Amino acid sequence: MTAATHSDHFQAPPGTPGAPAHAEGRRETLSRRILRGRPDDPRWARPAFLGMLLVIALAYLWNLSASGYANSFYSAAVQAGSQSWKAFFFGSLDSANAITVDKPPATLWPMALSVRIFGLSSWAILAPQVLMAVATAGVLYAAVRRRFSAAAGLITMTVFALTPVAALMFRFNNPDALLALLMTVTVYCVLRALEGGRTKWLVWAGVAVGLAFLSKTLQAFLILPPLALLYVVSAPVSVRKRFGQLGLAALATAVSGGWWVAVVELWPASSRPYIGGSQNNSFLELTFGYNGLGRINGEETGSVGGGQGGGWGETGIGRMFNSEIGSQISWLLPAALILLVAGVRLTWRAKRTDTARAAFLAWGGSLLMTAFVFSFMAGIFHQYYTVALAPYVAALAGMGATVLWEERGRWWAGFALGVTVAATAVWSYVLLGRTPDYIPWLRWAVLIGGLVAAVGLLLAARLGRVLALGVVGLGLAASLAGPTAYTISTLNTGHQGSIVTAGPSGAAGTGGPGGGRGGGPGGGEGPGGGMQTPGQGARQGAQQGGQAPGNGQGNQQGGGFPGGGTPGQGQGPGNQQGGMPGGTGEGGAGGGGGGGMGGLLDGASVDSEAKTLLKQNADAYTWAAAAIGSQNAASYQLATGDPVMAIGGFNGSDPSPTLSRFKKYVEDGKIHYFISGGMGGGMGGEGTSSQISAWVEENFEEVTVGSATFYDLTRPKS
């Protein structure tokens, strides 16, 4: 086989030159096509594919309710959207539409519809995220299988599902799960368009990007430069038509993502909720400021922390591999990079329109572009953002491993396979060594098994079939053992709060400002000591002291946040009662500090007395209460089921409502109680939140219920 035809033996997609004739024009029912698969598939391919989807669904549904309301910030918005269609449309935090979350609402819509149908519960909120994991795995298989083998597709699905951060975020209610699914769909559609220069598939790619924009704004655009360049270079149509098709795709993106933006910007501000995260009540400002360029340069008005070394971790080329990020995503990242180079090398002399090379460049370009931006962004960055890389890493692993195996007769292909497995084993050894008390023998087993398999792969062409397959099995086992262990740990653990990490306790370092020590049972420093990210104290507290089913959470009242105490010293209860339906307590989503005080990253603990107080005559008010900070307000709203106004939005720093507006609400009898504590009054004590707090404390009667303090806004001081 000459270099020019290296990729000719890859299976051509139906409808392209070289595809089996009987695959053209075949008409079957959808159900038969799902069960039978492609005509040229081996018999085991479709059962294995469907079985893998089922395994992913069952594994990700396992222990799902342990996370309770997960991120109460988004759960409260889901609850609001299930009660009010206006809140559903805008993504309001409360059904009375005081303020929105700081993201567009597309990711909330599936969860809100689920809650409308099934009622408010952990499963109703989180199960749609699990379905997104199944859909992502299915799209990955379809994309890889079209141009490569069924085995490549199955390896891709396996690598994706066993990525720890994927097991975390596709069971959590942040926007990242839907974003990762839509980005995977985008790459799939571009690859379909490249098969024959078909406009409709490029337009569908544009639609996917537009919907992704409505999930997490500008992050959806990260992969557009490499994909657009790839299409301009490789599409099998004239140059003029290529640019015309890209223009139509851009139009599709603008329409599918811009219609909601246009409605919000044109809607009278007086009759819609305030746009959370903005300083001027503008979604465009939010998009290009706090959620846009501010994430890149760290200049995020209304934010906290940020900057290189200023709380969001060190930036630089090694960021994806460091102690904070590495265990979340990087297990097979070295392998993906090696296999990307090998795949491009193998197809380098193929014709310009070769779809095998295009597949490597599409997934590889998306990986490199996203990883580069993540590595150098100076603004808010959390470990779980890296779930966006999981589909790209998985596709490169599946395609590259199977292609090199098919070419193992060439010395360099066998060498590349061996190097890939060896590098993966060594890196897994390093990552596992960062948690030395977690299955201590595993890192040595991975290292030894990986190195033995690497030597065997170098000689694979000379081995018999049985022995060669044994070497392959050993290599796969060694490569996947580390991430599998961390994924199982993730599936067995509940996660709550705004910053969550995958893997066993201590697997990731502090990724945001204010990381206090994890709370053990009853408060105090969590077992194991050391700085921990929010949620790690909860995991250790659960293991050591037990907690209410599905709702325990280690509180992190971080240093450096308004009202958060001194850096690195925030502590709180790690054994809070939960308040979701079916739980054992009456609280909101997890453990804020005592007395109803919520932190920036975690909600407040709501006891039964506070819940009873807020629910008294709540129907007579637009808002049962108002609280500073969205997490604090969300906890009380989830506990009572009644709207609670979040003063100042997520950070407590948004100028909403103004003091005069708040006074008008109180005068009109729209708010019953003001909840003391929370974020402590906004940024630096000078914002609107501080002004409202001071005015309330000066003019209204204090009501103490248990350890929580409220102010009755219907009872002014005499």
Side-chain angles (χ1 to χ4, degrees), residues 155 405 408 417 421 453 457 460 466-478:
I155 292 174
W405 177 252
R408 62 190 179 277
L417 269 178
V421 173
L457 289 170
V466 174
L467 189 56
L469 291 178
V471 169
V472 170
L474 179 61
L476 286 173

Side-chain angles (χ1 to χ4, degrees), residues 148 226 230 332-348 356-369 371 392-404 412 416-417 420:
F148 300 89
L230 175 64
L332 276 84
L333 186 53
L337 297 175
I338 295 171
L339 294 171
L340 169 61
V341 174
V344 173
R345 163 68 178 84
L346 185 64
T347 58
W348 186 251
R357 182 178 58 215
F360 278 105
L361 293 175
W363 296 110
S366 298
L367 171 64
L368 293 174
M369 188 69 182
Y392 315 144
V393 171
L396 289 169
M399 296 186 306
T402 52
V403 167
L404 288 182
W412 72 265
L417 269 178
T420 300

Side-chain angles (χ1 to χ4, degrees), residues 104-394:
T107 190
L108 302 173
W109 292 339
M111 293 183 284
L113 291 174
S114 175
V115 170
R116 275 186 178 268
I117 296 171
F118 300 107
L120 183 66
S121 70
S122 180
W123 269 70
I125 293 173
L126 300 180
Q129 308 295 88
V130 174
L131 296 179
M132 292 175 194
V134 176
T136 303
V139 174
L140 280 169
Y141 178 87
V144 172
R145 174 65 188 93
R146 281 188 67 82
R147 198 60 185 83
F148 300 89
S149 65
L154 293 172
I155 292 174
T156 298
M157 295 174 71
T158 302
V159 171
F160 165 73
L162 293 179
T163 302
V165 73
L168 171 70
M169 294 314 296
F170 281 96
R171 291 158 43 87
F172 204 73
N173 58 337
N174 280 19
D176 302 79
L178 181 59
L179 178 73
L181 168 60
L182 291 170
M183 293 293 90
T184 304
V185 171
T186 299
V187 178
Y188 170 79
C189 291
V190 170
L191 292 176
R192 290 294 301 270
L194 283 168
E195 289 174 8
R198 287 173 282 187
T199 303
K200 71 173 184 178
W201 283 108
L202 207 58
V203 170
W204 279 120
V207 171
V209 173
L211 295 176
F213 174 82
L214 292 182
S215 301
K216 210 173 178 188
T217 59
L218 297 182
Q219 187 177 330
F221 296 164
L222 290 184
I223 65 174
L224 293 188
L227 292 181
L229 179 61
L230 175 64
Y231 195 83
V232 167
V233 173
S234 302
V237 292
S238 67
V239 173
R240 181 176 180 180
K241 186 173 183 179
R242 290 175 228 169
F243 282 101
Q245 290 171 322
L246 287 172
L248 290 175
L251 179 62
T253 298
V255 172
S256 60
W259 67 272
W260 184 86
V261 179
V263 171
V264 171
E265 289 297 306
L266 294 174
W267 197 295
S270 59
S271 65
R272 62 161 170 78
Y274 185 92
I275 303 301
S278 72
Q279 298 298 302
N280 296 309
N281 198 12
S282 167
F283 180 77
L284 291 178
E285 178 214 331
L286 174 67
T287 299
F288 294 102
Y290 178 76
N291 278 339
L293 297 179
R295 300 290 173 116
I296 303 298
N297 58 27
E299 298 176 3
E300 299 155 302
T301 303
S303 179
V304 291
Q308 185 168 353
W312 305 115
E314 294 294 330
T315 61
I317 196 66
R319 192 181 205 178
M320 296 300 99
F321 301 92
N322 67 23
S323 59
E324 297 175 4
I325 310 297
S327 63
Q328 309 297 294
I329 187 62
S330 73
W331 297 88
L332 276 84
L333 186 53
L337 297 175
I338 295 171
L339 294 171
L340 169 61
V341 174
V344 173
R345 163 68 178 84
L346 185 64
T347 58
W348 186 251
R349 294 188 180 181
K351 58 184 179 180
R352 176 182 63 83
T353 58
D354 181 71
T355 54
R357 182 178 58 215
F360 278 105
L361 293 175
W363 296 110
S366 298
L367 171 64
L368 293 174
M369 188 69 182
T370 306
F372 177 83
V373 174
F374 283 176
S375 296
F376 290 94
M377 57 189 289
I380 295 175
F381 183 82
H382 300 310
Q383 294 98 321
Y384 62 78
Y385 288 1
T386 57
V387 70
L389 304 176
Y392 315 144
V393 171

Side-chain angles (χ1 to χ4, degrees), residues 480-668:
L480 295 175
T484 298
Y486 271 51
T487 294
I488 293 174
S489 176
T490 303
L491 297 177
N492 283 330
T493 306
H495 298 85
Q496 295 178 330
S498 296
I499 301 180
V500 289
T501 57
S505 180
T510 302
R517 297 183 183 272
E525 183 173 326
M531 298 301 295
Q532 302 179 13
T533 57
Q536 291 176 2
R539 293 199 284 273
Q540 292 184 346
Q543 294 164 359
Q544 300 293 328
Q547 49 184 265
N551 291 284
Q553 177 170 328
N555 178 49
Q556 306 288 331
Q557 289 185 2
F561 291 136
T566 58
Q569 295 181 351
Q571 300 181 7
N575 191 22
Q576 298 294 338
Q577 296 286 323
M580 74 176 185
T584 59
E586 300 292 346
M597 179 179 290
L600 174 68
L601 303 176
D602 301 295
S605 173
V606 184
D607 57 31
S608 58
E609 293 86 354
K611 177 181 175 181
T612 300
L613 176 71
L614 292 182
K615 288 194 69 68
Q616 289 178 356
N617 204 28
D619 291 342
Y621 301 89
T622 304
W623 293 277
I628 294 177
S630 294
Q631 288 284 13
N632 199 26
S635 297
Y636 285 94
Q637 180 172 300
L638 289 167
T640 63
D642 297 309
V644 176
M645 177 186 293
I647 297 173
F650 186 85
N651 295 326
S653 59
D654 297 347
S656 173
T658 62
L659 177 58
S660 60
R661 184 75 175 268
F662 187 82
K663 288 180 178 179
K664 179 64 174 173
Y665 286 145
V666 174
E667 180 183 340
D668 294 342

